[in-house]
Amino acid sequence: DQAADQGVEESLRYQIQLSAAGDVVSFTALNEVAQVYRDRLVPADTPLSFASGVSGDAEMERLGEAITIELVLMPMGQVQVNKR
């Protein structure tokens, strides 16, 4: 984990899939440095579970469809979010 211990010199790139209800379905690192940080937050043997708190069919219908976003955390603190 040398990259994690020395600070980040490159962007951390993640792909996040959200269900129609807003639940995080997957949280995938898109580069090696991002994988190191993701594994520190959520170890590989730990099931990933984030819930939106939305309940009820009416609320679900109002929310629309599932989406996939790319989250880029840049070394100088900037954040970029792209819908895929």
Side-chain angles (χ1 to χ4, degrees), residues 13-15 30 68-72 80-82 84:
R13 303 177 73 86
Y14 298 98
Q15 177 175 294
L30 298 177
T68 299
I69 60 172
E70 180 181 5
L71 175 66
V72 182
Q80 181 179 349
V81 179
N82 303 307
R84 298 185 120 200

Side-chain angles (χ1 to χ4, degrees), residues 14-28 60 62-71 81-84:
Y14 298 98
Q15 177 175 294
I16 302 169
Q17 293 180 314
L18 303 171
S19 73
D23 296 332
V24 175
V25 176
S26 70
F27 176 47
T28 306
M60 294 285 284
R62 193 170 45 85
L63 291 173
E65 61 187 59
I67 64 168
T68 299
I69 60 172
E70 180 181 5
L71 175 66
V81 179
N82 303 307
K83 185 176 177 184
R84 298 185 120 200

Side-chain angles (χ1 to χ4, degrees), residues 19-51:
S19 73
D23 296 332
V24 175
V25 176
S26 70
F27 176 47
T28 306
L30 298 177
N31 61 1
E32 188 176 333
V33 175
Q35 184 69 45
V36 170
Y37 278 86
R38 182 197 173 282
D39 289 348
R40 283 184 164 193
L41 291 171
V42 184
D45 59 349
T46 303
L48 185 64
S49 177
F50 300 99

